[in-house]
Amino acid sequence: MFSVSGNCQNQQKSKPNIIFIMADDLGWTDLSSSNTSLDNGSKYYESPNIDELAKQGKSFTYAYTQQNCQPTRAALHSGQYATGPQNGVYNVGSLKRASKGDTTPIIPHTQNNYLKEECVSMFETLKTVGYHTAWFGKFHAIKLGEQAKSYLGVDYNLALHKETKATVNGVNVKNEFFAQNDDANGWTFEIEELKPYAQPYNATYIKNVLEPMKNGNDPWLLEGTPKHLTDALGDAVVDYIKDRSQEKEPFFAYIPFHAVHVSILPRPDLEAKYKAKTSQDPRHTDAEYAAFVELLDQTVGRILNALEDPNGDGNTQDGIAENTLVVFYSDNGGFMGPTDNTPLRLRKGTYYEGGVRVPLIFRYPGVITPNTVNTTQEVHTIDFYPTLADIAGVKLPDPQMHEIDGKSVAPVLREETEALNDKKELYWHFPGYMDVRNMPQSVIHYRHTNNQHYKLFYRYEDDSYELYNLSKDIGEKTNLLEGKPSRGTLNLAKKMNSKLQKWLIQRNAPTGTWAKNGEKVPYPQKKGIKKYK
């Protein structure tokens, strides 16, 4: 397990290295940490390295994403909501994903599948002050290969899919996560650049890499078996840190793991550990998923250890952890089935808390006070771009070229304030369909007086609303507009509805058209809440 030394002095340093780690489909309750989820962490899954990261940094319990992979990544790199002019990515694939055979009253908007090429990405902005930029892992919302360098500003690009196609003993084979032994090319993953890390587990690797990270698992069970993509990406990141630690210029390493996305294919030694372990958590009982979470955790631990000792010789004099900001995050809520997001409602793909609320940790020794938890400030995917720019001391793009929707939460990280007064709302907008999970709707999250957090849903098909007090009803069980809502509740709903309508109009948010007459679907009306009187 990694550790980091040093006392917090809350002094901003110049141009720190930045490590941004993003898990895939890791739910709010999927870590064993008590810091990241208001003590709702798993009692079965084990994540000791990420838990330690939380103890060394600041966790945010109101951290949010988009509802699934592609729109979250587009928002991250652009700093824009899906409604932003360089974004336009609302869903994975398209907005025309109604349940099979369904006819829909609204014809969905046609979305973008990639950020527009005129987008001034987070990578490009950091490069203006000398950052070397790198990408390791899942590619969603960008184009692969050289195009990532040309229009997103990535210097070292290891973006790839989790699937590997190969010809093995004359048969074309496609599998996920594990390296394949191609007849012509030998052991490989999808891209050639990761081939040096594709060799099967051998005794040297197990002894030097996996043994130091073991936590009740037996890594020697792996000898001679194919390498897992999560380990291979960890190997590549560790080598990158070793190389960049010898350079004067800072680096920004973006590490979007494919773990723990389905198919749930963990490392066999960790799966064996959990199959022998009895769950004490009724929400979490799946041994394969538990093993996948810990594989992610061990790989994160290896990356953090590399910051302490880049060349791995046991001497930490060359360590760069003290001048490195580490961010840990997930791209959306958990995918129910292999996991359970209780006490949050529902899952990935929805705008209920189970779909968009995720773990978030920042660690920056000497600047961020260790073992702290912020239970007030809401943070969204769009906020990372301006926050990292703020910490790196770089100006944001000219708004005429590229407008940023997010706000920097660096003042909160430095404890200059508990929450930003000019950042009390978050918005989501979905002008289409996604099976049973999502339909045309708009949502506002609002921090009201006494830091009470509320969320208002507006559904376009039937002009209906839902209102929840997240501070008192984290599971979104009680729609405050049902029955006979109080005057205060109605006034709050009106205020939130007005903010939502104004935001939609300002951004010219698309809503689709009515199938019955081809007319544009209107925005929520200012007096829409009146029907609840």
Side-chain angles (χ1 to χ4, degrees), residues 73 102 138 157 186 188 227 261 338 429-430 444 453 504:
R73 295 157 204 275
D102 280 1
K138 189 167 180 174
N157 182 22
T188 186
K227 178 75 72 70
H261 193 289
H429 178 63
F430 197 79
I444 175 175
H453 290 252
L504 291 165

Side-chain angles (χ1 to χ4, degrees), residues 233-511:
L233 287 171
D235 297 339
V237 175
V238 167
D239 279 354
Y240 176 80
I241 291 171
K242 177 181 178 181
D243 291 343
R244 298 311 306 177
S245 69
Q246 301 173 48
E247 304 292 336
K248 292 183 179 180
E249 62 183 355
F251 65 82
F252 170 46
Y254 169 59
I255 311 166
F257 283 107
H258 302 80
V260 289
H261 193 289
V262 294
S263 302
I264 306 302
L265 296 170
R267 227 171 51 199
D269 62 318
L270 288 164
E271 184 178 350
K273 166 190 169 176
Y274 283 96
K275 284 186 173 179
K277 177 184 176 182
T278 302
S279 175
Q280 303 299 317
D281 192 330
R283 303 169 303 171
H284 300 152
T285 59
D286 190 303
E288 291 183 352
Y289 188 79
F292 215 2
V293 170
E294 187 158 5
L295 172 55
L296 171 68
D297 178 77
Q298 290 192 5
T299 308
V300 170
R302 288 174 50 210
I303 293 169
L304 298 170
N305 284 340
L307 295 175
E308 295 276 2
D309 182 12
N311 64 11
D313 65 355
N315 185 341
T316 60
Q317 293 298 311
D318 59 343
I320 58 173
E322 293 294 315
N323 195 39
T324 300
L325 168 68
V326 177
V327 183
F328 180 86
Y329 184 60
S330 178
D331 67 343
N332 46 249
F335 186 74
M336 285 170 65
T339 192
D340 185 333
N341 299 315
T342 303
L344 305 185
R345 182 173 177 178
L346 290 182
R347 57 173 170 154
K348 167 186 176 178
T350 75
Y351 289 141
Y352 290 112
E353 295 291 277
V356 293
R357 193 165 178 170
V358 295
L360 172 60
I361 305 166
F362 288 85
R363 188 193 77 181
Y364 189 3
V367 175
I368 295 174
T369 302
N371 203 24
T372 52
V373 180
N374 183 290
T375 60
T376 304
Q377 179 64 63
E378 51 284 304
V379 182
H380 187 277
T381 309
I382 59 172
D383 299 320
F384 291 112
Y385 190 142
T387 299
L388 299 186
D390 189 345
I391 291 172
V394 56
K395 291 182 179 179
L396 293 174
D398 183 338
Q400 298 300 316
M401 295 178 56
H402 183 106
E403 185 178 357
I404 301 294
D405 289 328
K407 298 280 188 181
S408 171
V409 297
V412 180
L413 294 174
R414 294 190 291 259
E415 297 186 348
E416 296 166 7
T417 181
E418 178 69 11
L420 304 175
N421 290 328
D422 62 346
K423 180 178 173 51
K424 294 184 176 182
E425 300 96 22
L426 301 177
Y427 298 95
W428 293 269
H429 178 63
F430 197 79
Y433 296 87
M434 183 183 176
D435 53 63
V436 298
R437 288 175 282 175
N438 221 333
M439 71 294 293
Q441 62 180 308
S442 296
V443 181
I444 175 175
H445 175 123
Y446 177 59
R447 176 164 35 93
H448 194 36
T449 56
N450 298 320
N451 293 321
Q452 294 289 295
H453 290 252
Y454 289 85
K455 192 157 63 168
L456 180 75
F457 293 76
Y458 174 76
R459 304 275 162 67
Y460 287 89
E461 286 186 348
D462 59 2
D463 197 32
S464 64
Y465 292 86
E466 295 176 21
L467 176 66
Y468 300 98
N469 181 339
L470 301 177
S471 300
K472 297 180 179 179
D473 180 20
I474 196 172
E476 295 167 295
K477 296 177 180 179
T478 303
N479 178 4
L480 298 175
L481 293 176
E482 289 184 345
K484 296 181 179 180
S486 68
R487 182 182 298 275
T489 295
L490 289 173
N491 286 340
L492 174 61
K494 288 178 185 178
K495 181 176 183 178
M496 293 175 68
N497 185 54
S498 179
K499 287 176 176 289
L500 180 60
Q501 184 201 50
K502 181 179 179 181
W503 179 82
L504 291 165
I505 292 171
Q506 286 178 339
R507 282 151 182 80
N508 194 27
T511 54

Side-chain angles (χ1 to χ4, degrees), residues 179 187 197-203 205 222-227:
W187 288 100
Y197 307 103
Q199 294 300 308
Y201 297 104
N202 60 31
Y205 186 91
L222 301 173
E223 191 168 9
T225 65
K227 178 75 72 70

Side-chain angles (χ1 to χ4, degrees), residues 58-97:
K58 182 183 292 291
S59 302
F60 286 78
T61 61
Y62 282 106
Y64 290 95
T65 63
Q66 297 297 95
Q67 81 289 349
N68 58 11
C69 312
Q70 202 163 335
T72 292
R73 295 157 204 275
L76 175 72
H77 302 312
S78 66
Q80 296 177 350
Y81 287 115
T83 53
Q86 282 79 44
N87 190 339
V89 181
Y90 291 87
N91 196 28
V92 173
S94 82
L95 288 163
K96 300 176 182 179
R97 292 179 57 182

